[in-house]
Amino acid sequence: MTSRPVRIGVQVQPQHASYEKIRASVLELEQLGVDILFNWDHFFPLSGDPDGLHFEAWTELASWAELTTRVEFGTLVNCNSYRNPDLQADMARTIDHISGKGTGTGRFIFGTGSGWFERDYDEYGYEFGTAGQRLDALAEALPRIESRWQKLNPAPSRDIPILIGGAGEKKTLRIVAKHADIWHSFVSADDLPRKLDILREHGESVGRDVSEIELSNEPRRKDLRIADQLREQGVTLFTLGISGPDYDTRVVKEWLAWRDTQNA
């Protein structure tokens, strides 16, 4: 089992609520002791009324950078298709600096993926293409992003952690092996060992020790028994999604208590 501490992330889904409610929920979650806050990078709700209230991810994150003082935060996950890679790098660097107020070290996590929600593409005028094409575009974008971080003035305040979401065995896990500091998935505890074997094979092929990569998971059922099973497989970052209009934090409190027993 890994020696990394268990961390709890909460995805504050930017749907079906006013920004005032989202803001209040972010403040509450930081006060409760959550380790990481996430949103998602979509333009429309993913559940409930498909035309309900919704906000854009990156501008929201800039607000969180000013609003919070302790938590790390990012998008779970950014859609690589929606923005030029060099622009993504510059936006990430800027938010990193905003969040470092008072300490000089930012708290931004660059969570990214290849994109999948076709309505976003259609209504905002992006070419949807195929899943393979979108993954190829992500593989091409990440070196540009990493290169741009080396050129920006000022540079990022720290080595911005890269979180990559997805579990595709041929392309996604190879991208994870090459670029990720954190790998995020919905993979079950039963299937995780097989996926990790594939990840290790990709690591060997790209010359990376994949034990460096933190394992992140969002259990499809918020059941602490599942969390125990995933923990045995090496998962240390657990993410819970909560949605507007209410952003119920009761389950978050239960998982924070479990985290504290794991880290005692």
Side-chain angles (χ1 to χ4, degrees):
M1 185 181 297
T2 179
S3 60
R4 290 189 184 94
V6 172
R7 302 197 291 170
I8 299 297
V10 176
Q11 186 186 55
V12 184
Q13 299 166 358
Q15 60 178 10
H16 306 309
S18 67
Y19 188 70
E20 289 76 13
K21 179 61 178 176
I22 294 172
R23 184 182 188 277
S25 298
V26 165
L27 287 171
E28 178 187 2
L29 289 163
E30 182 173 52
Q31 185 176 30
L32 285 173
V34 166
D35 298 290
I36 305 174
L37 292 173
F38 295 109
N39 61 12
W40 65 32
D41 189 19
H42 296 289
F43 305 131
F44 302 95
L46 298 186
S47 63
D49 180 359
D51 295 313
L53 298 174
H54 198 276
F55 289 97
E56 192 276 328
W58 279 83
T59 44
E60 185 179 79
L61 291 178
S63 169
W64 291 10
E66 279 287 356
L67 182 63
T68 60
T69 60
R70 179 191 56 78
V71 291
E72 291 188 287
F73 63 95
T75 295
L76 193 66
V77 288
N78 168 68
C79 178
N80 178 67
S81 305
Y82 301 160
R83 302 162 193 87
N84 170 283
D86 293 85
L87 175 61
Q88 293 178 51
D90 204 341
M91 293 164 67
R93 181 281 310 256
T94 300
I95 293 176
D96 164 74
H97 275 268
I98 295 170
S99 67
K101 60 188 186 299
T103 67
T105 302
R107 296 172 284 115
F108 180 73
I109 294 173
F110 183 69
T112 194
S114 59
W116 63 273
F117 190 42
E118 190 168 2
R119 183 185 180 191
D120 285 347
Y121 287 80
D122 291 345
E123 295 215 26
Y124 277 62
Y126 299 108
E127 182 179 350
F128 189 56
T130 67
Q133 289 170 334
R134 295 192 300 275
L135 281 165
D136 290 343
L138 178 62
E140 293 169 4
L142 281 163
R144 285 179 58 182
I145 290 165
E146 293 164 342
S147 176
R148 180 58 57 186
W149 282 337
Q150 300 300 314
K151 299 173 184 176
L152 289 169
N153 185 16
S157 70
R158 65 172 182 167
D159 291 334
I160 296 175
I162 295 175
L163 178 154
I164 296 175
E169 296 174 4
K170 182 178 178 181
K171 292 187 176 183
T172 302
L173 289 181
R174 183 177 178 85
I175 297 170
V176 170
K178 192 169 184 179
H179 296 282
D181 299 290
I182 305 169
W183 170 44
H184 178 81
S185 77
F186 297 89
V187 175
S188 69
D190 290 340
D191 198 30
L192 192 56
R194 186 180 65 83
K195 294 283 188 179
L196 290 173
D197 284 342
I198 295 168
L199 180 61
R200 279 188 285 270
E201 291 173 4
H202 284 304
E204 291 172 2
S205 69
V206 301
R208 175 92 185 277
D209 178 1
V210 297
S211 67
E212 300 171 353
I213 301 171
E214 182 174 15
L215 304 183
S216 170
N217 193 282
E218 182 173 349
R220 295 190 182 276
R221 289 190 294 114
K222 297 181 177 69
D223 186 332
L224 287 172
R225 291 172 296 182
I226 295 174
D228 286 329
Q229 295 167 10
L230 289 165
R231 177 77 174 107
E232 288 296 323
Q233 299 295 339
V235 174
T236 56
L237 175 54
F238 296 83
T239 300
L240 309 169
I242 59 175
S243 176
D246 299 320
Y247 296 111
D248 187 347
T249 61
R250 286 175 295 180
V251 70
V252 176
K253 294 173 184 176
E254 294 174 3
W255 282 65
L256 288 172
W258 174 80
R259 174 202 66 186
D260 293 343
T261 64
Q262 297 294 307
N263 292 338

